[in-house]
Amino acid sequence: MRLLSKLTAPLKSSRPPPLDAGAPPRVWIEGVEPTVDGGAFPVKRVLNDMVDVGADIFKDGHDAIAARVLYRTPGATEFKHAPMNYDFNPDRWFASFRVDSIGLWEFTVEAWPDAFGTWLSDLKKRLAAEQDIRPELLEGARYVTRRANFLQSDVSLKLQGFARELGDETQDVTARVVTANSKELAELMLGPLAADEVTRLRPWFTIDVDRPPAAFAAWYELFPRSQATIAGKHGTFQDTERRLSDIAALGFDVIYLPPIHPIGETHRKGKNNTRVAKPGDVGSPWGIGGTSGGHTAVHPDLGSLEDFRRLVKRAEDLGMEIALDFALQCSPDHPWVKQHPDWFHVRVDGSIRYAENPPKKYEDIYPLNFWCSDRQRMWEACRDVIHFWVNQGVKTFRVDNPHTKPLAFWKWAIADVRKKHPDVVFLAEAFTRPKRMKALAKLGFGQSYTYFTWKNTKQELTDYMLELTGPMSEYYRPNFFANTPDILHEYLQRGGRPAFRARLVLAATLSPIYGIYSGYELCENVPVHEGSEEYLDSEKYQIRMRDWRARGNIRDDVARINRIRRENPALQQLANLEVLPTDSEHVIAYRRWQGDNELIIVVNLDPMAVHETMIDVPLAALGLSPSQTFEVTDLLVGISYTWRGVRNYVRLDPEDKVAHIFRVTR
Amino acid sequence: MRLLSKLTAPLKSSRPPPLDAGAPPRVWIEGVEPTVDGGAFPVKRVLNDMVDVGADIFKDGHDAIAARVLYRTPGATEFKHAPMNYDFNPDRWFASFRVDSIGLWEFTVEAWPDAFGTWLSDLKKRLAAEQDIRPELLEGARYVTRRANFLQSDVSLKLQGFARELGDETQDVTARVVTANSKELAELMLGPLAADEVTRLRPWFTIDVDRPPAAFAAWYELFPRSQATIAGKHGTFQDTERRLSDIAALGFDVIYLPPIHPIGETHRKGKNNTRVAKPGDVGSPWGIGGTSGGHTAVHPDLGSLEDFRRLVKRAEDLGMEIALDFALQCSPDHPWVKQHPDWFHVRVDGSIRYAENPPKKYEDIYPLNFWCSDRQRMWEACRDVIHFWVNQGVKTFRVDNPHTKPLAFWKWAIADVRKKHPDVVFLAEAFTRPKRMKALAKLGFGQSYTYFTWKNTKQELTDYMLELTGPMSEYYRPNFFANTPDILHEYLQRGGRPAFRARLVLAATLSPIYGIYSGYELCENVPVHEGSEEYLDSEKYQIRMRDWRARGNIRDDVARINRIRRENPALQQLANLEVLPTDSEHVIAYRRWQGDNELIIVVNLDPMAVHETMIDVPLAALGLSPSQTFEVTDLLVGISYTWRGVRNYVRLDPEDKVAHIFRVTR
């Protein structure tokens, strides 16, 4: 193993050293990690993460190799480097570096034959075998001269001096061997002898570095228009502002608002998604655009843009942020329909095509034509909507149905916005086939909705977590919403309060990003009809005022779990998950860890019955011997138990404890 | 699913249709197979193989997609295409084509939104819902017009006619619907509407197509100088010629000769690798080059170049071919040493550096300096050696220690030779770390030596075959030599005749390419000393005349197994292997299949003892019901047994039957 940690002197230059790109490679470099699809897409990290780079590096013959990682901070032409070390895994090399700013980083791997190192190592063997090493000292001098000729002058002069000493046949061999072994010479020789000896992988690999809340946050979704305190009144941003401290007290980080824009009146939908709205029906916030404006306007009944900015500021003061919905579709009353009819699908008769899934018609929505002839300006206008809200202080966007707009648009728009504003995060609300969801995450979405709501059995959860925490975790950050305005799962409908409590623990401990849509804490569970996942009297089509302290609420659970998440680093990472064997199909147990922080979470998945089981504790991973006792403290209730050995007993009563979040003390 | 099998009319052009490479992609294409390292290296196939291409293809929204594989025969600018079909695997598309010539093929995948197909499918739904479809017919006419404008004139005219009919509002709707559904129109519309709607993956992927013996052949290695029939006499090509019919009768396809060139005298090694040769010692054939020539000369004692050509021709007449050794190293007497001293490592004192692994010295060998300043000419000279022997009729080269020469050299040299002579096959004799062996296979070697000789237990064989028959089989063709002049494994040394018989069956049935080095059929098993894998009186340093009918020979086994290999397609493929459970750790069983040809091979790995075991037959895979009886015929002895159900009994006595090669009759 050859350590290059002192590789500084000859490489203080701020640009990668020259290399002869046309020369046949001296060294083979393969299997670089971390990468997504061989480098086609960036891997994701957050600020101050360490990036552990691995690569297969080898060449012909027996000569030593030297290798390093080159990396660049976002937008820089400067590069830094980290020496790579050879590890036990044959021909595998490793290096690490810290990403200490947000944005798009680049890295690559370069390697070269370590001719001087090989020579020096051979020299020692020859000396030990008492061979005549005088010819070898001349060879060494030649290597030093070659590198002197390759480098810039100040270092070159030093190397030329060393070369003269090594090659000086009038001097004593012992003195020349001392020179050969000099630490300074070794440091100066750490690098290639010539440009054509360096193999550098191209193109560079990329790392998308986000601010930490992109990867760890608790989300809360609410409709501002429902936040009034007087029945029948349309809520405002000011009403919403009044609720902020309560939501902060529950421990949320992000408050996500459905669209806040004017709502179309043409073909507006009525309560419970009826085809025709009655007078006074408020319509769906996703029917964007009316006489008072489109995507850059606020609904007059919510207040002014200034009110909105104050809401954003006030949330920030409480350590939270406001996330907006970005839904690229228009009501027939949207200003773009008049200003740019060509941005829509114009039919031969000149009318604009409404949304359809033949024979079904959605006449309240006009989809944009992303491939219209004015494509470039239209895409820019959509992108500028984001810029508009970024300028109002919004840094997180929940993107509505991104899979119904071109992947190429998102790739371009997200990269374009993040180039200027790398602190902006996009959450993809795509509930579609797996490969499309993955593609959206690869091309730039920092977070993604998931199938979590439909994974309710132990096997389903285990399989899904295995997928999410595998290679996919390099680019896909799951946001586990326990419910949404569109999804009230049968499990919650039937399981009631115990089901809401269990799913809350699962969402909040299986994924570092999770969320609830308001009403969840009240265990609202009445569907519009049997077999539907839609809510009765859905807030999508009407105002719903709530009593936030209503009987049976699970606010205490929410606050406690959010606090546990903040206090336990093990819950702030996605991939560090190990599902543990239990004897009951109704009880799931899993381990999460980070440094010394060791958690075992146990959840009763059956909201109807008490279940008891033995769970298998992975003693070796926890650093415990089979005979040793250890303490586990349930952070939900503050009670400790003494456990010993692999198999330990738990009992979970849905009417009392639906789950344990054990912290293990060794 | 949309079948494009009739995609001919508008695409008879011989070049890929134009596409707008700068346009944002409409369709996403990922995960193309078969590929090696995402397309960095070719996959390997043989003549007339089917290539099954798969790809993940998807886009936003609900529109239909059409896709196809484009492929090019070696060197052609013409391309052919195969329509891709959507299969059960979500968003996965498939197509197949046959590679009907040898050389480097290229393929890629292209896809586009199937606007017309989507429109037609929607039209049918609208008709079923009794909607007014007149506006839709105008839309359809617009799609047809767009494609008419995109295509060349003759097809365009037809499409313009269809567009007029569809859009003719004076006509009856029913007639226009008939036009919309016309088969001719559907065929003409199978293709993109415009250049910027096509997404085509770049760069193209590659397939290296060899002649069939590259992937299925039995090899026999012999030293021509040992083929004389008078004791003490140096054998010749003519002596070798006399042995050909006997080797052909044993069923071999390739006869591999160690280097046939003049052997250096300076520092020549003596018998049993002694440092100093005695007068009359013949030296190692790998010490290449003497006063009578170098890599393009034949050793005078073997005969003339004409004799060699006759040997090649005579082998060909018998359905065999001669493979030569290509060992890029020189004895100090090689002509290149005088003509091109700069092609070697010249020391400061002007002397040439011999091979070393300090403190060990190999003074009989001068390694070439592949990075000398005359690199280009030196590489070309090495490449021209191959051309020289190709011109003498040699098409297969066993390359000696390729991992001690630059990977870049092999990549260039093999590609260069195969461009002119795609029928040339290179076997890599690299016994080194796995990643280097794999890299040589990826960059162009058509066959590779393996760790087979060191895999002797059931677990070792099972694990190794799992690796070789996995994704690695796309580029790595193992050649299972049961012994070599360098490797006489302890298993053979101790196990004697039963061990030789068992390893023969394993080599010949685990890999479609296998070989033995002469003497194996005589069960020669005396090492130079205890603990060594070298032979006593190794043929590498001296002539060994043999009695090919000596007592205890296993010629009958060899002939029978080679015949079984030729008669059973299941033994001619690598990846179709399934190891079957047995109750004994000494008995390995595996299934090989190809079409109707179903084999179950069972080998007793313990040469010292009888073992009996039950083996589990995979009934479902064989199309058998649990209660059904079926016949298995041991092709080695011609005896049949009636089996029934999963578990069946075998007993193998090393002194009698070491193995069964069962053919299953359903």
Side-chain angles (χ1 to χ4, degrees), chain A residues 619-634:
Chain A
L619 295 181
L622 289 162
L624 297 166
S625 73
S627 59
Q628 199 176 343
T629 60
F630 55 98
E631 201 176 82
V632 297
T633 306
D634 186 343

Side-chain angles (χ1 to χ4, degrees), chain B residues 578-612:
Chain B
E578 181 188 4
V579 176
L580 306 179
T582 72
D583 298 341
S584 166
E585 61 169 321
H586 298 292
V587 180
I588 190 169
Y590 43 95
R591 170 181 170 238
R592 279 213 173 275
W593 66 95
Q594 177 69 19
D596 282 342
N597 189 226
E598 280 283 0
L599 303 183
I600 292 174
I601 296 124
V602 192
V603 184
N604 177 0
L605 302 174
D606 179 0
M608 305 302 183
V610 176
H611 288 283
E612 44 186 12

Side-chain angles (χ1 to χ4, degrees), chain B residues 630-643:
Chain B
F630 54 99
E631 200 176 83
V632 296
T633 306
D634 186 343
L635 302 175
L636 286 167
V637 290
I639 297 173
S640 295
Y641 306 83
T642 300
W643 281 8

